[in-house]
Every structure is written in C-alpha cells, then in structure tokens.
Amino acid sequence: QLTKERMIQRGLDAIQQDNSPHIVIDMSKMRSVAEIITKSGVTVGAIIPGNNVFSMFDGDRIESEDRLKISMSNSGWNEEKKDKAIAYNLLQHIYKMEYGENGKINLQLIAMYSAPKVVEYKMNQLVNAGILDFEEQLNILGRYSELSSVAPDIENLLISHSTVSGITMGKKIRLADMINNKVLYVHLGRVKDVVSKKTILEMVSNMVMDYVQSFVSKGMEVRKPYVTVYSRGNKTDSVLGEFFENIHEFSQILFISDNVFAIDNYSYISQCFPMRIYSRHDTMEGCEEVEKCFGNIYVRKKTYSSARDMHYKSRGFLDRILGTDRVLTETISDQRPEAKYRKEDIAVMPEGYCILSYAGRDFIACI
C-alpha cells in the first residue's frame, strides 16, 4: 500500500512540473486513486463515464472508419456485417448532396434517413433540382435498399457508446485542458461489461493519439501525455493489454497493480514496460511469481562442524583449558541453483522497499 501511494505521488509531482496532460485510469470499484489525487491537491477536470461528449468520429474519415471497425469487432460483428456498415456511409454522400457539406455517421444522421419513403422523397427533390439524374437516383436507392438493414445495429452500437461516454450531456473533453493540476479521471471500475471497457479505452487511446498527432502535424515539439493506470489485479483487467500496446509510443505510462500476475495476460502486458518494480505481495502465490521473474543464481555454501574427542587420555589439560580439544571442519558445497530473491523474503519485505528491474539489472531499493 505504501509503495503504491508513493509511486502515484511521485508520478503526480513529476507530471505537475512537466505541465503535460494527465489521464488517470482507475480499475477499482472504490475509486482508490481518487483519494490519493485529492490529497495531492490535484483537481479532477473531467470524469469518464460522465456527462462529457467523447466521440469516436473525431479526426478524418479514414480514422473514423478504423475506430468504427474496432468498436464493431469489440461487439462481435463478423467481417461481412462490418463491410456493410462501413458502406452505409452512403448517408454521408446523400447529406452532402442535400446540404453541401460533409456529414458524420451519428444517431442524428441515421434518424434523418431511416425511412425509405423519406430517402425516396429526398432523391426526387435532388432530381428536380438538377443535382442528380434519373440513373444516379436509381443507383443510390438500390444501394440504400441493400444496406439499410444494418442501420438498427449501427444505431444500437452508437447508443451503447453514448451510454458509456455520457455523450448526451455536457461539454466535450479536450486533453489539452487537462494540465495545471487537472486530470482526466477514467473510472473503469464502475463499468461491468468488457465491451464497454474496451470502448472507453479505445476512446482514450484515440484522444491520446490525436493529441500527439496535432503537435506532429504543426511541426511542434511533442508533449506526450502521462497515463497512470491502477489495477486491483482482476482477470478482466486483461483489456489493458491492447490499450497499452496502442498508446505506449504516444504517452508515458505508469501502471500500478496490487497483483499483476492475477491478470489473464500479464506476461503480454509486462512487455510494454522496460522498468518494473515489485513490492511485497499479500499472497504467497504472488511472491512466488516475483521470485520466478528473476530466476536463480548459482551459489556455493559453506558448512561448519565441530568434533571433540571425549576419551580422557587424549584430552590434554592445556587443550581443555584453552578449548582446543576439538576439530573444526569447513565444507564447501558444489554450485547449486538458488532463487535470487526468495518468495519468503519477498513476503516479509518492509513497507516502502521494493525490487527494481531495468535494462537487465535489478536491485533492492526503498521508495
């Protein structure tokens, strides 16, 4: 507990000095990190899930399609259904012909063209206005007839996004505003289903990548956001693996877990972090996993034995007085493997002490 709090505190101190955006992702149900943040004088600038708009369709058309595909995959859609949904951007084309500007696939756009009679009426208006000819009208109506069956599924997908991201109220979150002692607090512990967790994490990773790319596109020095993630060590926290893989080049990540070994794909997650810090674990199973991380060293052990001749005549008076009436034997064993850090020692490690591993080197330190 002490090591966890000190790590988070030092991370907060470093981030405040750097004045970069900061995102905190809390996988616990009890908002464990919120209390530490508050004590540190840091303000929660926005909360997810909460009353904030967080659209997956920010950015250009290709990025929007990629994000939609990821969301469909998270929801278990097959490839045929995905392709059909992407082709339904036909609505954007219709909207542009009608209003002269690009539209985005959202609940409002789907509602505008949800009824075939409405689409047919709008097509007739475009033909009468000379924007379309009769053959183009037939092609669009035929294409719409093929694709419109996927509209309810897209609508349900967008509604689920609205539910988890609070898209119905409030103002849009800007990562650039999460500076000067402000953090974006993402409380995933209150989200029960895995699909919603993946959706929120995908939104956060898109926000991080878009923020960094905005500096690159302007030729400016990149200020990478900080991301602090706290996990209790549950199996379902495996959703963090793909998230870390997506953002590790775009951000600076501090990942803290009570027991990372309990997460289904912890070995995959650990590959994202060149520096690893292990402190005392509450369970011997966790301590044993830490022991395995550092392998064995080969040692020679010395043993000593003492032999005394108890025959009366062989024990001289002077030897008995000086205590030299015995033979000491030193035995050195062959090299034998032994855990570099024993699980028994890890289990009783004092608070604040930890094993730090970086670039192939490791040592015990006090934080």
Side-chain angles (χ1 to χ4, degrees), residues 282-348:
D282 294 333
T283 64
M284 190 56 71
E285 289 82 1
C287 296
E288 188 173 1
E289 291 295 335
V290 176
E291 177 184 285
K292 292 177 183 177
C293 290
F294 297 96
N296 296 325
I297 55 175
Y298 286 84
V299 298
R300 295 178 185 273
K301 288 190 175 182
K302 292 182 179 180
T303 58
Y304 298 91
S305 62
S306 175
R308 176 176 290 174
D309 189 346
M310 301 302 295
H311 290 89
Y312 179 76
K313 290 185 178 180
S314 64
R315 300 171 66 199
F317 177 75
L318 189 58
D319 287 329
R320 281 183 286 169
I321 295 296
L322 298 177
T324 57
D325 58 337
R326 57 182 177 169
V327 178
L328 293 177
T329 304
E330 178 184 86
T331 304
I332 302 177
S333 67
D334 293 334
Q335 285 191 348
R336 295 178 181 177
E338 185 176 289
K340 190 170 187 179
Y341 301 102
R342 298 170 62 246
K343 58 186 177 184
E344 294 83 2
D345 297 330
I346 296 169
V348 296

Side-chain angles (χ1 to χ4, degrees), residues 179-223:
I179 58 174
N180 297 325
N181 283 355
K182 287 184 180 180
V183 300
L184 169 58
Y185 186 79
V186 183
H187 188 204
L188 278 191
R190 64 177 285 191
V191 180
K192 294 182 179 180
D193 64 289
V194 175
V195 172
S196 296
K197 288 182 179 180
K198 287 183 177 181
T199 299
I200 294 175
L201 289 174
E202 181 63 25
M203 290 177 174
V204 173
S205 64
N206 290 335
M207 176 181 280
V208 170
M209 289 186 282
D210 289 345
Y211 178 81
V212 173
Q213 291 294 345
S214 68
F215 284 88
V216 175
S217 63
K218 297 174 184 176
M220 300 169 61
E221 181 184 356
V222 176
R223 299 182 68 87

